[in-house]
């Protein structure tokens, strides 16, 4: 006995097969490389505020290792801490920018004043 295939069933398979093929092919496609625009030869540099006696300092961290540990405000006589975490981050970020520009990462008193850093001389 032969079984007859309904035209509706054939129509369903004719439409469903290309869709199924597209879904399978789409799921096999590789995911985009999210790091393709990141230069892996460039180090990862971060600035972190640190709590020190009397206020804050900062660390410059390069590829997960501490590169600079600054307990006090540079360019100011004595060992005065930054009054706020934001001030420490601001100066630490300026140091990182100088390093990236291949400049000596020193900070002057004039720079501190222009950035509004309080150091109460």
């Amino acid at each position: 006995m032969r079984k007859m295939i309904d035209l509706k069933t054939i129509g369903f398979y004719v439409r469903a097969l290309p869709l199924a093929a597209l879904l399978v092919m789409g799921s096999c496609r590789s995911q985009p490389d999210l790091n393709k625009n990141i230069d892996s030869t460039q180090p990862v540099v971060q600035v972190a505020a640190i709590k020190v006696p009397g206020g804050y300092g900062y660390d410059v961290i390069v590829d997960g290792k501490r590169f600079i540990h600054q307990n006090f405000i540079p360019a100011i006589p004595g060992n005065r801490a930054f009054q706020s975490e934001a001030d420490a981050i601001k100066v630490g970020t300026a140091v990182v920018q100088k390093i990236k520009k291949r400049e000596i990462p020193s900070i002057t008193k004039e720079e501190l004043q222009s950035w509004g850093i309080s150091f109460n001389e």
Side-chain angles (χ1 to χ4, degrees):
M1 239 187 187
R2 279 191 184 175
K3 197 172 186 179
M4 294 197 117
I5 299 177
D6 185 12
L7 285 177
K8 284 184 181 178
T9 305
I10 292 174
F12 170 77
Y13 285 116
V14 166
R15 281 183 251 129
L17 261 144
L19 180 61
L22 284 173
L23 288 173
V24 169
M25 287 179 4
S27 66
C28 293
R29 200 176 81 215
S30 64
Q31 294 296 318
D33 185 5
L34 297 177
N35 294 321
K36 71 180 177 185
N37 293 329
I38 297 174
D39 184 356
S40 62
T41 62
Q42 291 293 318
V44 175
V45 181
Q46 300 169 305
V47 178
I50 54 172
K51 186 76 175 133
V52 297
Y56 295 89
Y58 63 86
D59 283 342
V60 174
I61 302 160
V62 178
D63 286 337
K65 296 178 184 171
R66 186 168 58 194
F67 183 68
I68 297 173
H69 179 71
Q70 188 69 42
N71 285 341
F72 48 86
I73 303 172
I76 302 301
N79 293 336
R80 295 194 181 110
F82 290 97
Q83 293 180 4
S84 74
E85 189 175 356
D87 285 351
I89 294 290
K90 188 182 296 183
V91 174
T93 301
V95 167
V96 168
Q97 293 305 316
K98 287 184 177 196
I99 292 169
K100 286 181 177 181
K101 293 178 185 174
R102 300 187 184 282
E103 297 175 359
I104 296 172
S106 62
I107 300 296
T108 66
K109 183 178 172 182
E110 291 75 23
E111 286 174 315
L112 294 171
Q113 290 171 329
S114 72
W115 298 327
I117 305 296
S118 300
F119 48 84
N120 299 327
E121 276 195 297

